[in-house]
Structure formats: structure tokens, C-alpha cells
Amino acid sequence: MDNYLIAMATIACVYGLMTVSLNLSWGVTGMVNLGIAGFFGIGAYTSALLTTRLGWPVVAGVASAMVAGALVGAVLSIATLRLRDDYLAIVTLGFAEIVRLVALNELWLTNGSDGISGIPAPIPRGYGYGFSLAFLALIAALLALAAWSASRLQRSPYGRVLRAIRDDADVTAVAGKDVVRFKLKTFALSTAIAGAAGAMYGHYTSFVAPDLFAPLLTIYIFLALTIGGTGNVKGAVLGAFVLIAILEGSRYSAAFLPELSAVQQSAVREMVVAALFLLCLRFRPRGLVPERMGAAGE
Amino acid sequence: MLDVLTQVAQLALNGIMTGAVLAMPAIGFTLLYAVLGFPNFAVSGHLAVGAFAGWILNTHYGWPLWAVVPFGFIAAGVLGVATQRVVVEPLRGAASITLAIASVAVALLIENALRFGFGNTLRSYDLPLARDVTIGALRFGPQQMQTAAVAIVVMLLLFALLRYTRLGRAIRATADNASLAAVKGIDTVAIARLVAFVGMGLAGASGVLLGADTAIDPLIGFRLVLAVFAAAVVGGLGSIPGAVLGALVIGIAEEVSTIVLPSDYKSAVGFLLILLFLTFRPRGLLGERRN
């Protein structure tokens, strides 16, 4: 396989982890996470710092990134879960900005806008082509594991409660379910997955910097999930791959507009992404793979 | 000891000036929330549009600040009505969260359109320089005083509109209960568009004032947006007097925080207050008790 395609597939798998995460919170449970870029950043920095500064093995770094993502997700959701869903949106959006602010300003820890380089990989980079292939296999396996667990969870009685919460939290509470507890656990699980995505990204490229998790990243993930279809894991994973195809395609089509400056080209790309998202919401809100509404007990 | 007191007093004064400018987009945000029922994150983009519209008139045609502010209001307001019609209205019936996410995309679209046209460079308004006025040990910047005064005039006009006119009563009725208002013969779609005009207009006008005070670039609104949310949440989401009070609280807290925190973390103060209020007093300082 072409090196370029392998690299794109690897990035698509990283994005796939984030769409699976967002599907769990927003698609299944109805909790919107507008700070998914922030959790990606938390995961990326946690694992990068532990493996470069303290020499931890990559596996321990990624596991810690998931724990960090889950803890921060739990703290943020505790403040808002008893309130209308809008509040979680406001808090998570603000949170992503704070993560970027800290990453930019705490030079002693994060190296500011220069970022952290030399992050180790779980497979020796010296293998070249072999490294790329092995890493793709690894991240694909991880994505498959996350997707499989998420779809098992979704089909379980637990998942049925989550969908019930999304569709009507009051009725679910009356039916005797502890809505706040379900939401808290699910949100923490989803932010743990986003943390893992960030950590894996750092170990793949060996470099993390605050630019990586600009708010645009969050919009990318929402776009991917909306294209694929919210509420089901297949759509989430498919959406990530379609998103990468769109992003890469727009990179090539930018070559047809050579009279534009680099800033203008990136502005056009971002406008295209935002417009596509709005069009999807309007004309195909259920995505390429619509959620199947199974009969009770299925 | 006296020095510290003067310093705190000076910072509090700066905070009140900041708060006065912050109050306008905060009122816009909270008004939009009350009537349309979702947090409209596109205020940041509309604020930037107002800032750039004012900048063009000021630097290319030499209009003074007081004349530019209404223009920034109208430019952002008209855009607000356009996004209301093109994006929000077709999605009616969708969950409020879907609309909130759509508004983030709208902000991204607007900010990148500005970036396409103007690039990332910082630009400043062309305004006469003036010396600071000192009263006792406190310094007053004439530019800041002017912007704070304009902000206060705009807010008084809005209060008058909401309190004393038929239209204002219709807006308040729609905010209270849209279906009841519709039953009483109020055209709630028209009211929603009017509110989009006023709410986004307020953001645009504050963009002009901010631009006059500092410098502008396409992300001017984005950088402020956390403070705007904080003002609205601290005051009580949906409450207009709350947004004003919240803006003053955030303005003062941000300035005073610079005694102990590096000034890069000013916007973190707003976030911290959001978390504190949502945990301990989610209806904010002046919000109504509702679920």
C-alpha cells in the first residue's frame, strides 16, 4: 500500500476513536461535547509528558491519558448534569479553550507553542515502512476494540437506558433509573476514548502542540459523525474515513486556486467544512447509516 | 498599604469599563437564549463582523466613533437576521443542542470569511490620541470612558425598548412562553428575527467599541466569547439585568485576578466562575428558578 494512503488511514482511525467517543455521548445519550478537542489535547499531553519526561512505557502513557480524560470529563459533567443540556455545551466549549491556554502558557511543562517533540512510539520508528504498517494495524485494532465495545454497550440494557435518557430524561427518571449516574459514567467513558485518541496521535507523529486541538477539530468530529449517522457505531467510523477523504480532497482542490494566499486557502477549507456540516444537518440529519430503531428487547 | 488599595481600586475601575463593553454581547447572548431557546455561539462571528464594518467606515471614510457604532450594530444585526432565516429557521423542530452546534459552524463560517477578506493581521481604528485623565490617584483613559459611555447609552435604549414599547412587551411575552404568545396573536417568527437583529446587533456594536479600544482581527469575537458566556451564566442565563450584572462581575474579576495570576489567564477566570455558579447557584445572580 502507498505510504500516503497508510498515513491517511492511520489519521482516519485516530479520528474514528473521537467519533466513537462523540457518538457515545452525543449520538446515544444526547450529551453534547463541544470540547472534544480539549480532551484530545489532555490525552495527547498526558501521554507525551509521561513517556518523554518520566520515561514511562507507551502503554502506561496511553492508559494514563484515558484516566486523565475520564477524570476531567467527570469533573466537568458533575457541574452540569442536573441542568439543561445547553450548559454542558457551554462548559465543554470553554474547557477546550482553557486547555489550549494552559498548553500555550505553561512553558515549563508544555514548552508553549513549540510543543513537545521526540515522543516515543510503541514500535521502533527505524522500521520505516514496516513501522507505518504496524502502527496502522495497531490503531485499527484499537479502533475496532473501541467500536465493538461501544456497540455492545449500546445494544445492552445499559445502552437502552442511555437512549431512553436521550429521548426523554424525565420519563427515564420516573422509570426508576438514576439518570445523573448513567450520564456521568457514560460521559467519562467517552472522554476517556477521546483522551486515548490524543495519546495515540502523539505517539504516531512524535509531536504535539497546542495548534493540534483548535476548536476546528471539534467541528471536524461533529461533521464526521453527522455525515456517518449519529446514534450508531458503524456510521461513526465510516464518517471519520469520509471526513479524511473530504479534507484531503479539499487540499488537492486548493491547488486549482493558486492565486489565493495560504491563509485564504485555509480559510476556504474551513468555510467548506462549516458549510458542509450545516448542509448535512439540514438535508441529511440522519447520515449515511441511519440509526436503526429496534423493537423493544432486541 | 495605600498603594495596594489604589491598585485594587484602579483595577476595579478598569473592570467596570471592561464590563460595560462586555455587557452588550452578554445581553445579546442571553436575549437570544431566552427567545430562541438555545445558546447561540455565533455571537463571536457577528461581533467580529461589526468590528470590521466599523473599521472600514472609520479608516476608509473617516467616520468618528459615535457614528460608526450604529453602523456596526446594523451590519451585525442584518447578518444575524440572515443566519436566522437561512440556518436556524429551517432547523426548527431540531433539538436545541443541534442548533447550538450549528451556531458554532456559523461562527466558523463567518470568521473564515473575514479571514479570507482581511487576513490574520491586527488592524487598529484611526482615532485621535488623548491623554489619560487623573482624578486623585486613579487614571481614566478617555477612550475607555467614551466606549463605556456609548455602551451605557445603547443598553438604556434597549431597556426602554423592552420595558415601554408594545414590541418590547411582545418580545418579553415570547421569551416567557412562545406558544402562549403565539396564541395571543404575536407573530413569534417575526419576533425571533427581530431578536436575532437586536442580539447580534449588540454583539456587532460591542465589536466596534472593542476595536476602538484595542485592535481587531477575525478572531476578536472568539477570544471574548468565554467571558460573554460567563457573564450570561453568572447573571442567570436568560436574564437581561443579570447579563449586565454578570458582565460587571466578570470584568472586575478578570482585572483584579491579574494581581495574582498572569494576565494570559484572564479568560480562565470566566470559566472558573461558570463552573462555580453552575455547581452552587445554577440560576445565577438574577435568574429565575426554573428547571
Side-chain angles (χ1 to χ4, degrees):
Chain A
M1 220 182 356
D2 185 24
N3 249 327
Y4 168 76
L5 283 180
I6 296 178
M8 287 310 114
T10 309
I11 299 297
C13 287
V14 172
Y15 277 43
L17 283 173
M18 283 189 277
T19 52
V20 168
S21 152
L22 187 64
N23 184 50
L24 198 56
S25 60
W26 179 44
V28 180
T29 324
M31 288 181 292
V32 74
N33 182 356
L34 283 176
I36 199 151
F39 292 101
F40 181 85
I42 292 267
Y45 272 93
T46 303
S47 194
L49 285 170
L50 289 175
T51 51
T52 56
R53 299 277 171 90
L54 302 180
W56 285 27
V58 171
V59 176
V62 176
S64 311
M66 294 183 73
V67 173
L71 283 179
V72 178
V75 169
L76 288 190
S77 58
I78 282 172
T80 58
L81 282 185
R82 282 163 226 280
L83 307 169
R84 273 188 59 156
D85 300 334
D86 312 330
Y87 287 92
L88 184 63
I90 295 178
V91 166
T92 48
L93 194 70
F95 159 74
E97 246 339 83
I98 300 299
V99 174
R100 233 157 57 90
L101 212 59
V102 172
L104 275 172
N105 290 303
E106 295 304 308
L107 298 180
W108 60 275
L109 184 68
T110 63
N111 221 6
S113 54
D114 289 343
I116 299 173
S117 50
I119 305 167
I123 305 146
R125 285 180 207 285
Y127 293 174
Y129 186 70
F131 164 78
S132 309
L133 262 180
F135 200 100
L136 175 59
L138 181 68
I139 187 91
L142 204 62
L143 174 61
L145 177 70
W148 178 76
S149 325
S151 69
R152 284 297 300 258
L153 181 77
Q154 209 175 319
R155 281 201 302 268
S156 70
Y158 190 94
R160 211 154 52 222
V161 177
L162 297 183
R163 288 200 305 276
I165 289 172
R166 177 192 66 190
D167 295 339
D168 194 325
D170 291 338
V171 170
T172 319
V174 170
K177 303 296 178 193
D178 187 344
V179 169
V180 170
R181 233 180 121 88
F182 272 95
K183 279 181 152 185
L184 176 66
K185 280 200 218 160
T186 311
F187 195 72
L189 181 61
S190 80
T191 54
I193 299 174
M200 289 307 286
Y201 184 88
H203 292 298
Y204 175 60
T205 62
S206 83
F207 174 69
V208 294
D211 287 348
L212 285 178
F213 44 99
L216 185 63
L217 178 61
T218 301
I219 293 292
Y220 282 168
I221 304 306
F222 271 92
L223 173 62
L225 188 57
T226 312
I227 292 175
T230 54
N232 77 91
V233 176
K234 261 187 227 142
V237 174
L238 177 68
F241 280 83
V242 174
L243 172 79
I244 294 295
I246 292 174
L247 290 182
E248 289 305 301
S250 75
R251 195 200 297 277
Y252 283 112
S253 44
F256 293 109
L257 305 165
E259 66 274 21
L260 298 183
S261 70
V263 172
Q264 286 177 321
Q265 286 184 1
S266 89
V268 169
R269 271 182 86 185
E270 295 190 18
M271 281 194 284
V272 168
V273 168
L276 265 179
F277 178 63
L278 291 172
L279 289 172
C280 278
L281 275 185
R282 171 138 180 212
F283 295 108
R284 209 176 168 84
R286 281 156 64 76
L288 294 171
V289 187
E291 181 182 9
R292 269 202 332 225
M293 296 294 176
E298 189 191 342
Chain B
M1 185 62 208
L2 195 66
D3 272 358
V4 176
L5 276 181
T6 329
Q7 195 196 357
V8 171
Q10 179 72 52
L11 287 173
L13 183 71
N14 295 352
I16 291 172
M17 306 247 192
T18 313
V21 177
L22 185 60
M24 289 163 56
I27 293 173
F29 182 70
T30 223
L31 184 67
L32 286 162
Y33 182 83
V35 174
L36 303 178
F38 71 96
N40 195 325
F41 298 121
V43 281
S44 67
H46 290 80
L47 189 149
V49 165
F52 273 92
W55 177 80
I56 293 173
L57 278 194
N58 172 255
T59 54
H60 289 49
Y61 301 98
W63 289 29
L65 185 63
W66 61 266
V68 164
V69 172
F71 188 74
F73 189 105
I74 292 168
V78 168
L79 184 64
V81 175
T83 52
Q84 175 73 15
R85 296 190 67 155
V86 176
V87 178
V88 179
E89 284 175 13
L91 290 176
R92 208 173 7 206
S96 71
I97 280 306
T98 309
L99 287 165
I101 302 162
S103 73
V104 177
V106 170
L108 193 69
L109 203 59
I110 296 174
E111 279 159 1
N112 276 295
L114 289 173
R115 205 150 73 93
F116 185 86
F118 298 94
N120 286 332
T121 40
L122 279 175
R123 292 153 201 277
S124 2
Y125 277 59
D126 188 8
L127 295 167
L129 285 176
R131 195 188 292 274
D132 281 3
V133 182
T134 16
I135 299 175
L138 296 179
R139 270 193 339 275
F140 293 80
Q143 186 58 57
Q144 285 168 310
M145 278 172 21
Q146 204 187 342
T147 50
V150 172
I152 290 165
V153 170
V154 171
M155 286 187 277
L156 288 177
L157 286 175
L158 178 73
F159 276 120
L161 167 82
L162 287 177
R163 174 74 42 200
Y164 299 112
T165 66
R166 256 187 96 77
L167 207 55
R169 230 177 27 232
I171 292 176
R172 283 185 288 139
T174 312
D176 262 2
N177 188 331
S179 32
L180 208 58
V183 169
K184 291 291 277 179
I186 294 172
D187 181 352
T188 50
V189 173
I191 291 290
R193 284 180 193 164
L194 178 73
V195 164
F197 179 77
V198 174
M200 292 309 185
L202 284 167
S206 75
V208 174
L209 295 180
L210 268 170
D213 207 19
T214 54
I216 64 168
D217 73 348
L219 291 182
I220 182 175
F222 178 75
R223 278 192 296 274
L224 193 75
V225 87
L226 198 50
V228 173
F229 303 160
V233 169
V234 166
L237 209 48
S239 155
I240 290 175
V244 178
L245 185 61
L248 290 175
V249 169
I250 298 296
I252 294 171
E254 280 191 351
E255 293 294 332
V256 173
S257 78
T258 55
I259 299 178
V260 287
L261 277 175
S263 61
D264 292 323
Y265 283 112
K266 261 188 195 176
S267 55
V269 173
F271 183 69
L272 215 62
L273 284 172
I274 291 181
L275 281 187
L276 279 177
F277 268 83
L278 289 186
T279 310
F280 297 109
R281 197 183 161 85
R283 67 196 168 95
L285 294 170
L286 300 181
E288 290 165 31
R289 189 191 296 274
R290 58 166 112 151
N291 289 323

